[in-house]
Every structure is written in structure tokens, then in C-alpha cells.
Amino acid sequence: MAGLTDLTIAEARAQLRARKLSSRELTQAHVDAMARARELNAYITETPEKALTMAEAADKALKAGDGGVLTGIPLAIKDLFCTEGVLTTAASHILDGFKPPYESTVSANLWKAGAVMLGKTNLDEFAMGSSNTTSYYGPVHNPWRRKSSKEGRGDNRPLVPGGSSGGSAAAVAARIAMGATGTDTGGSIRQPAAFCGLVGLKPTYGRCSRWGVVAFASSLDQAGPMTRTVRDAAIMLGSMASHDPKDSTSVPRPVPNYEAALGQSIKGLRFGIPKEYRLDGMAPEIEKLWQQGIAWLKAAGAEPVDISLPHTKHALPAYYIIAPAEASSNLARYDGVRFGLRVPGDSLDGMYENTRAKGFGAEVRRRVLIGTYVLSAGYYDAYYLKAQRVRTLIARDFTEAYKKCDVILTPTAPSAAFAIGEKADDPIAMYLNDVFTVTVNLAGLPGISVPAGLSADGLPLGLQLIGRAFDEETLFRVAEMVEQAANFTATPSLNG
Ligand code: GLN
């Protein structure tokens, strides 16, 4: 039987406003469910007391008739967002014990809209990864299981939830949060959303403030919502987005009413199918899903157009130069002096070295090494500068494509969720996961993943829609069509 934790944000909001439900009841149901689902390792920090206090304040506001858009809705926050007085780790040992004296703009916006904080979710260390296996706090388990493993055949290892926002994805899929924030530098909202059967949106670069979000690669990072429905994502983004003078890359544009974009016809809309995304050796079920998506949009009156994004093949190499370069520079601040962990040494340099050697995990160290290398005097032109040029070409490909179409349809990821440990020894295989998502970050565009079907082994698969800059409204509108056509009702609990 469906319980309180199965409600969507939109459903709960209606019940809260009609006073058929209190935020206290709704929040308590989530707090109880969180305690029962700890084996997923979705949360690094649970904040049940804070949640219940916020829920009581929400109930008061609702009673007085002056709530905000999210009043009383319990949400989870990726542990990359600074939360005032609440441990913020970035899933790294190096931030041990760090309790920020300030709140990120995005989370502050959510609290202003009345949302209730359940806790901080697990992630890949500093958001570097596609599997949530690089966290200092251990891997997150996907609440979905392979059908064959349940039937006692095949590989029965638990699956990754995707990454880096894997804790947020697992929490929303397992009904231990109604929605969650994620961040996406190369796919970290969309890929875990696809792996866990959720909607995940990476907004246009500049739509959400990065202030108070622990920086990974500043020219690529964007915060966005992860939810169970397209409408819920529209509701959350409306509160998360804002112009923020504290982030000079945040854009001074009014935030549209994204919900108002829903329920509108897509008749006559042109959707592009990029030929370069048809990879050699792509899993047949991914190709089939893509064809299915094309058929759905056609049936809704939209028109497919063949497009070309010729520089796609250079996107992964460019991303894995630019992102580590920016990361190596951003991570220079963790030196044992200002934040978190300090490991003593014989000298100041010794203390820096010991702290960074102990504080960073293997993937973070690998990225710092790559980043420092490509930025060093002898290699800057050959690698970093060239990657930046490729980035410009990729952005131009999209500009050209949008002369012929309004939105682009692709798969979100080249496979369904894989087993924990499956790609652990092969960083390149892991990086290939981002093949359909990184181009969007390099071009600064919005992208959304919508659950669209199940793999042969009963695991969720997602379709991605990519939009024009600041046209999240069209994305929501088309995503809702896909959602309705796919009628994705499977849940991990029914599945398990
Ligand atoms: N998987 C990509 C990486 O490891 C993207 C991560 C992200 O979007 N934060 O860099």
C-alpha cells in the first residue's frame, strides 16, 4: 500500500495546504524510513531533530495561510552544499568536522520556500566519479536490484546508484526523501537519476548560484533537482534558482514559473537526433529505448530532425583535462590550515603534504595530478589551451544544431547501473559513462534525464533532453511528454 513517503512533492503540497496532512507527520514518516534504510548508506548526516523543528514551523506557517512553494516538504541536500552549523564533508576525509558558518544560496532558497531538511547525502569524493564509490564514507547502494540476481542467477552484487549525486538518487528512489539537490559537472545529476529511475535536471550554467557549493570545476558545476516526477523537478528548480550577487557567474534573469510550462502541447516542436551519439557497440537496449523515445515524441506531434554534433568525440578528452585542471586549482585550499583535517609534520610544508596525502582519496589525487600536469608551463598550450578550444567548438556545434531544432533527444547513459566494484580498476571505463552528458556541461546548456524504461534485467534506463540556454521550460514540457508516454511506474520496492 502506498504510504506517506510515496507521495510526490506536488501531491504532498496539495494535502498540506488542504490541511489533510501535517508536515510533522510527513517528516516523521521520512525520518522513520531513513532509519530503516541505513544499509543503502545514502546519507552521511541525518538531521532528524532539525527536520522536526522545521516541520513544526512549516505547520505553523500553513495554519496561518502563509507558506511558501515548498512549505513542509522534506528534502535531502547533497553533502557538497554548505549548511550552516551542519557537518559538510564533500565525502572527503580532508573536510573532517567542517561545520560551515554559512548556508549555500541554493539550500537557503529552499528553506526560504519552506522546505524541511532531512540530512546530507553521500556522494563521490568532491563529486568526482560516476558511481558513488569514491566516498570516504563508503559506497552507496542502489535500491534497485537486477532481476536475475533476485532469481538467484547472475551477478548478485549490489549496484551503484550512479554518481556523483548517488546518495541523493538512492534517497529519493528509496522514498527516504521527497526530492534532493544534486550537482552536475559532467553528468552527476542526470546519470544517477537514470540509474535510479528518477528525473534529474542540470540547469543552464548560471541559473543556480554556486555560492556555498564546494567547488569541483567552477566553469562546469551546476546545482539542480532530483525528484520522482517532472512536475516535482519544476517545483524544486523554481525555488533553487535565483540571481545571486555573491556568484559572479549567476545570471540576472527572472526565474520563470516552471510549473506553468507543464501540460502544454509539443505539437510542431522539432527535436534533434545527433548522429554522433549513435556509438559503435552501444547496448541494443539503449538504442531501442532511444528509438522508442523518438516514436513517443512523434506520436505527440513533434517532428524529428537529423542533426550533427561533429566534435562530440573530443568531448570526453576535453572534459577530463578541463575538469581536473579546475579541480586541482580549487582543491589547493585544503592545506590543513583553514578547514577540516590537519596531519602534523616536521615543517609547514610537511604538514601540508601529510594532510593532503591522508585527506584525499585515490581518485581525487589522480585528478589533482592530471590537473597540475596539464596546467604546468610546458604543457599548458598542448593540453589545457587545446581542450578549451575544443570546448568552444562543442558549444558551436550546439548553436548550429539549434538552428534546426528546439531540443535534442539522446540516451542519458550508455548502460544501466553496474555492480559496485565492477569498473573500480579501470578509470577510463568509468569515465566513458559520461559520454552523453559531458557535452552539455562543456556548452553550459540545460539537460534533463527522464526515466523511460527498464533494461532486460529490470533496471531503470533514462532518456536525456538537452535544451537551449535558459530554456528549461521547453525541457520540462517535453520531459513531461516522455514521462507520460513511458508511464514508468516500477519502483525499487516492488522490484525488490
Ligand atoms: N563523472 C564525472 C566526473 O567524474 C562527472 C562528475 C560530476 O558531474 N560531478 O568528473
Side-chain angles (χ1 to χ4, degrees):
M1 203 191 75
L4 290 182
T5 56
D6 290 305
L7 294 173
T8 65
I9 292 176
E11 288 163 352
R13 183 182 60 177
Q15 293 200 23
L16 287 165
R17 286 186 185 168
R19 314 225 11 92
K20 287 190 189 143
L21 173 68
S22 71
S23 175
R24 200 187 152 98
E25 286 170 87
L26 185 63
T27 303
Q28 188 67 55
H30 282 87
V31 167
D32 294 345
M34 283 157 77
R36 288 194 300 268
R38 296 226 170 93
E39 77 281 359
L40 293 176
N41 201 22
Y43 283 89
I44 291 176
T45 305
E46 296 180 4
T47 55
E49 282 159 26
K50 198 176 175 70
L52 292 167
T53 308
M54 290 171 98
E56 261 156 41
D59 283 331
K60 272 202 197 112
L62 286 162
K63 202 165 164 193
D66 60 8
V69 179
L70 287 165
T71 300
I73 302 291
L75 300 177
I77 302 293
K78 182 178 185 177
D79 205 13
L80 200 64
F81 293 80
C82 287
T83 41
E84 192 178 344
V86 176
L87 184 69
T88 297
T89 67
S92 182
H93 188 29
I94 210 155
L95 276 171
D96 256 10
F98 174 56
K99 290 190 178 161
Y102 46 78
E103 186 79 27
S104 79
T105 299
V106 162
S107 53
N109 286 347
L110 290 170
W111 314 143
K112 230 182 286 156
V116 164
M117 175 162 114
L118 291 168
K120 307 289 295 288
T121 52
N122 207 339
L123 65 151
D124 280 301
E125 186 177 1
F126 283 106
M128 297 174 188
S130 310
S131 59
N132 215 131
T133 50
T134 69
S135 168
Y136 176 68
Y137 296 89
V140 174
H141 291 199
N142 192 322
W144 292 79
R145 284 292 187 128
R146 283 182 178 137
K147 202 164 69 187
S148 56
S149 80
K150 285 182 294 166
E151 288 163 357
R153 35 186 198 94
D155 183 347
N156 67 359
R157 281 180 292 177
L159 305 175
V160 304
S164 65
S165 312
S168 288
V172 179
R175 274 80 177 145
I176 52 175
M178 303 198 85
T181 62
T183 63
D184 191 312
T185 303
S188 277
I189 289 176
R190 291 159 288 158
Q191 184 254 23
F195 280 15
C196 291
L198 301 175
V199 175
L201 173 100
K202 181 204 94 77
T204 311
Y205 185 77
R207 182 64 291 183
C208 287
S209 169
R210 290 181 296 107
W211 196 80
V213 183
V214 175
F216 164 11
S218 308
S219 76
L220 300 158
D221 300 342
Q222 257 303 286
M226 305 179 77
T227 55
R228 293 196 288 267
T229 67
V230 173
R231 178 169 297 272
D232 285 1
I235 296 173
M236 264 187 84
L237 181 65
S239 295
M240 292 168 71
S242 65
H243 170 236
D244 180 6
K246 290 192 292 223
D247 168 5
S248 60
T249 63
S250 134
V251 173
R253 279 185 174 232
V255 180
N257 178 351
Y258 294 116
E259 256 194 293
L262 300 177
Q264 291 178 27
S265 157
I266 61 163
K267 219 170 168 151
L269 179 130
R270 297 159 309 162
F271 64 100
I273 304 298
K275 65 168 190 263
E276 292 78 6
Y277 280 52
R278 193 153 279 128
L279 302 178
D280 282 347
M282 183 152 89
E285 60 190 12
I286 301 289
E287 172 67 33
K288 208 172 119 205
L289 181 87
W290 199 6
Q291 292 307 325
Q292 180 65 73
I294 296 172
W296 285 331
L297 294 187
K298 267 166 77 175
E303 186 196 320
V305 207
D306 288 326
I307 56 162
S308 173
L309 299 168
H311 298 92
T312 299
K313 62 173 177 298
H314 304 303
L316 274 177
Y319 172 86
Y320 277 99
I321 288 172
I322 294 168
E326 293 185 14
S328 72
S329 145
N330 275 326
L331 268 51
R333 75 191 67 172
Y334 304 106
D335 54 7
V337 177
R338 284 163 288 195
F339 311 90
L341 184 76
R342 175 179 302 169
V343 182
D346 296 340
S347 60
L348 184 61
D349 280 351
M351 187 278 286
Y352 290 159
E353 281 169 18
N354 293 347
T355 301
R356 288 171 66 85
K358 273 263 179 324
F360 291 138
E363 183 61 27
V364 174
R365 288 203 299 267
R366 179 181 298 130
R367 307 250 183 150
V368 170
L369 284 174
I370 295 171
T372 313
Y373 179 83
V374 300
L375 289 177
S376 59
Y379 299 101
Y380 184 90
D381 289 1
Y383 294 106
Y384 184 71
L385 211 57
K386 194 174 264 171
Q388 289 290 21
R389 291 197 174 120
V390 169
R391 181 177 188 173
T392 303
L393 294 174
I394 288 169
R396 274 193 208 149
D397 284 354
F398 281 103
T399 308
E400 278 307 305
Y402 285 126
K403 289 180 182 162
K404 288 171 67 183
C405 64
D406 306 300
V407 63
I408 294 169
L409 176 75
T410 77
T412 307
S415 73
F418 46 88
I420 293 177
E422 202 173 308
K423 297 183 203 260
D425 305 329
D426 189 351
I428 303 287
M430 194 69 95
Y431 297 170
L432 282 174
N433 252 288
D434 308 324
V435 61
F436 300 133
T437 49
V438 290
T439 49
V440 180
N441 301 72
L442 288 168
L445 300 173
I448 191 168
S449 179
V450 193
L454 294 174
S455 71
D457 219 352
L459 298 176
L461 299 172
L463 281 173
Q464 172 177 241
L465 293 156
I466 307 167
R468 292 194 173 99
F470 297 101
D471 192 12
E472 282 81 4
E473 286 153 294
T474 300
L475 280 191
F476 282 129
R477 192 151 62 95
V478 184
E480 197 189 29
M481 283 298 159
V482 174
E483 180 177 55
Q484 283 166 5
N487 189 23
F488 185 89
T489 50
T491 61
S493 53
L494 291 177
N495 178 270

Coordinates of all heavy atoms in Angstrom, one line a residue, residues 127-130 164 183-188 216 319-320 367 434, ligand 1:
A127 N 32.7 15.1 -5.5 CA 31.8 15.0 -6.7 C 32.6 14.4 -7.9 O 32.2 14.6 -9.1 CB 31.1 16.3 -7.1
M128 N 33.7 13.7 -7.6 CA 34.5 13.2 -8.7 C 34.2 11.7 -8.9 O 34.6 10.9 -8.1 CB 36.0 13.3 -8.4 CG 36.4 14.8 -8.4 SD 38.1 14.9 -7.9 CE 38.2 16.7 -7.7
G129 N 33.3 11.4 -9.9 CA 33.0 10.0 -10.1 C 31.7 9.8 -10.7 O 30.9 10.7 -10.9
S130 N 31.4 8.5 -11.1 CA 30.1 8.2 -11.8 C 29.5 7.0 -11.1 O 28.6 6.3 -11.6 CB 30.4 7.8 -13.2 OG 31.2 8.8 -13.8
S164 N 28.0 11.6 -9.5 CA 28.4 11.7 -8.1 C 27.3 11.9 -7.1 O 27.4 11.6 -5.9 CB 29.4 12.8 -7.9 OG 28.8 14.1 -8.1
T183 N 24.4 18.0 -7.8 CA 25.3 18.9 -8.6 C 25.8 18.1 -9.8 O 25.9 16.9 -9.7 CB 26.5 19.5 -7.8 OG1 27.3 18.4 -7.5 CG2 26.1 20.3 -6.6
D184 N 26.0 18.8 -10.9 CA 26.3 18.2 -12.1 C 27.4 18.9 -12.8 O 27.3 20.1 -13.2 CB 25.0 18.1 -13.0 CG 25.1 17.3 -14.2 OD1 26.1 17.4 -14.9 OD2 24.2 16.5 -14.5
T185 N 28.6 18.3 -12.9 CA 29.8 18.9 -13.5 C 30.0 18.3 -14.9 O 30.5 18.9 -15.8 CB 31.0 18.7 -12.6 OG1 30.7 19.2 -11.3 CG2 32.3 19.3 -13.1
G186 N 29.6 17.0 -15.0 CA 29.8 16.2 -16.2 C 28.7 15.2 -16.4 O 28.7 14.4 -17.3
G187 N 27.7 15.2 -15.5 CA 26.6 14.3 -15.6 C 26.1 13.8 -14.3 O 25.2 12.9 -14.2
S188 N 26.6 14.4 -13.2 CA 26.3 13.8 -11.9 C 24.9 14.0 -11.3 O 24.6 13.4 -10.2 CB 27.3 14.5 -10.9 OG 28.5 13.8 -10.9
F216 N 34.2 22.0 -7.5 CA 34.9 21.0 -8.2 C 35.5 21.6 -9.4 O 36.7 21.9 -9.4 CB 34.0 19.8 -8.5 CG 34.4 18.8 -9.5 CD1 35.7 18.7 -9.9 CD2 33.5 17.8 -9.9 CE1 36.1 17.7 -10.9 CE2 33.9 16.8 -10.8 CZ 35.2 16.8 -11.3
Y319 N 36.9 17.3 -21.5 CA 36.3 17.4 -20.2 C 37.4 16.9 -19.1 O 37.6 17.5 -18.1 CB 35.1 16.5 -20.0 CG 34.5 16.4 -18.6 CD1 33.7 17.4 -18.1 CD2 34.9 15.4 -17.8 CE1 33.3 17.3 -16.8 CE2 34.5 15.3 -16.5 CZ 33.6 16.3 -16.0 OH 33.2 16.2 -14.7
Y320 N 38.0 15.7 -19.4 CA 39.0 15.1 -18.5 C 40.3 15.8 -18.5 O 41.3 15.4 -17.8 CB 39.0 13.6 -18.6 CG 37.9 13.0 -17.9 CD1 36.7 12.6 -18.5 CD2 37.9 12.9 -16.5 CE1 35.6 12.1 -17.9 CE2 36.8 12.4 -15.8 CZ 35.7 12.0 -16.5 OH 34.6 11.5 -15.8
R367 N 43.1 13.2 -10.0 CA 42.7 14.4 -10.7 C 43.6 15.6 -10.4 O 43.9 16.4 -11.3 CB 41.3 14.7 -10.3 CG 40.3 13.6 -10.5 CD 39.3 13.8 -11.6 NE 38.4 12.6 -11.6 CZ 37.2 12.7 -12.0 NH1 36.7 13.8 -12.4 NH2 36.4 11.6 -12.1
D434 N 30.2 9.0 -19.0 CA 29.8 10.4 -19.1 C 29.7 10.8 -20.6 O 29.5 12.0 -20.9 CB 30.8 11.3 -18.4 CG 31.0 10.9 -17.0 OD1 30.1 10.4 -16.4 OD2 32.2 11.0 -16.5
Ligands
GLN1 N1 31.6 11.5 -13.7 C1 32.1 12.8 -14.0 C2 33.4 13.0 -13.3 O1 33.8 12.1 -12.6 C3 31.1 13.9 -13.6 C4 31.1 14.2 -12.2 C5 30.1 15.3 -11.9 O2 29.3 15.6 -12.7 N2 30.3 15.9 -10.7 O3 34.0 14.0 -13.3

